[in-house]
Amino acid sequence: MNVSIQKHLSTFDGLSLVVGLVLGIGIFQVSPIVAANSGSEFIFYSIWIVGALLSLAGVLCYAELASTYPYNGGDYYFLTKAYGPTLRFSYGFAQLVLIRPGSIAAVSFPFASYFKVFYPQWLQGIPDIVICGIAILILTLLNTGKAVWGSGIQRFFSSISYLLLVGIAIISVIGSGERDIVEIKPPEFNYGLALILVLFCYGGWSELAVVAGEIIQPRKKYYDRL
């Protein structure tokens, strides 16, 4: 049975969704680990470039898939079209009990740690898991309401991400200068493991395909406007 879904997400909404997923806690958690184990600036930057190119290849594939099949579901829908209901069910079950809960946990626990730094006098002694549960519950309730609420919240937090990253870049330039440097011999570098961590940071670009059916003019290409 075909279900009619209202298309109300603009291009900026889609961009905010991707930015909110990619520019998340991962870049702050993973970047120091990769840098500390790289041993040189060349290795550090090269692994991020390799991860970016691999992600870009996936992005281009998903852009074609989502514009060809502009329906909600993303991977779930694509697997259904390609392999049928058996693999579709297996993937959906894995998403329900493992993939989504794991992704939420990977983001919520660092959030709890950062949140307690801002409000130590209020949150001292409260376990991180309690803060995680409250945050997940609040966001779940907000997103189960009207879709415009969820998109508005996403636009707000994505805009904050833009401003914070610009602020970090400005502060790093203004505050640069002589510092006491402690030479630390890095451990043996595992390029494969580092690439997995980098790809985890870049992860999230495929999620826009999940709501492809709600995007206004999903097949419209930028060169159509020229």
Side-chain angles (χ1 to χ4, degrees):
M1 182 177 64
N2 294 327
V3 179
S4 177
I5 299 177
Q6 183 180 1
K7 299 179 182 295
H8 48 70
L9 298 180
S10 64
T11 301
F12 184 73
D13 291 326
L15 178 63
S16 298
L17 176 63
V18 174
V19 169
L21 289 166
V22 176
L23 296 183
I25 291 176
I27 60 174
F28 303 105
Q29 292 283 315
V30 171
S31 297
I33 299 175
V34 177
N37 291 273
S38 296
S40 69
E41 292 85 352
F42 174 78
I43 295 178
F44 175 73
Y45 287 116
S46 67
I47 199 165
W48 284 97
I49 292 173
V50 171
L53 293 176
L54 290 174
S55 299
L56 179 61
V59 168
L60 296 176
C61 293
Y62 267 67
E64 290 294 329
L65 286 169
S67 59
T68 303
Y69 303 105
Y71 308 106
N72 283 0
D75 295 332
Y76 182 84
Y77 184 86
F78 302 150
L79 289 173
T80 302
K81 295 289 290 185
Y83 301 108
T86 302
L87 189 58
R88 173 188 64 185
F89 174 80
S90 300
Y91 176 78
F93 184 77
Q95 284 276 0
L96 177 64
V97 301
L98 180 62
I99 299 174
R100 293 297 175 180
S103 299
I104 294 172
V107 173
S108 61
F109 277 96
F111 163 78
S113 300
Y114 290 143
F115 195 69
K116 291 174 73 173
V117 172
F118 283 100
Y119 304 100
Q121 67 278 16
W122 298 346
L123 303 176
Q124 186 177 7
I126 299 179
D128 288 355
I129 193 171
V130 175
I131 300 175
C132 294
I134 294 173
I136 293 170
L137 178 62
I138 292 174
L139 291 175
T140 300
L141 293 175
L142 289 173
N143 281 279
T144 51
K146 294 183 179 180
V148 291
W149 297 352
S151 61
I153 294 169
Q154 188 64 59
R155 287 195 300 268
F156 173 74
F157 282 111
S158 295
S159 299
I160 292 179
S161 298
Y162 301 143
L163 296 176
L164 288 177
L165 289 176
V166 171
I168 291 173
I170 294 174
I171 292 173
S172 64
V173 173
I174 296 176
S176 62
E178 295 184 359
R179 297 290 186 273
D180 294 332
I181 299 176
V182 178
E183 294 292 339
I184 300 176
K185 183 179 180 181
E188 183 178 353
F189 183 66
N190 188 328
Y191 203 96
L193 177 61
L195 184 59
I196 291 174
L197 295 174
V198 168
L199 290 175
F200 171 76
C201 289
Y202 282 125
W205 46 262
S206 62
E207 298 302 317
L208 184 58
V210 176
V211 293
E214 300 175 53
I215 301 294
I216 300 172
Q217 294 181 314
R219 292 191 178 94
K220 188 174 182 62
K221 297 180 174 60
Y222 285 103
Y223 57 74
D224 293 337
R225 305 174 184 176
L226 301 178

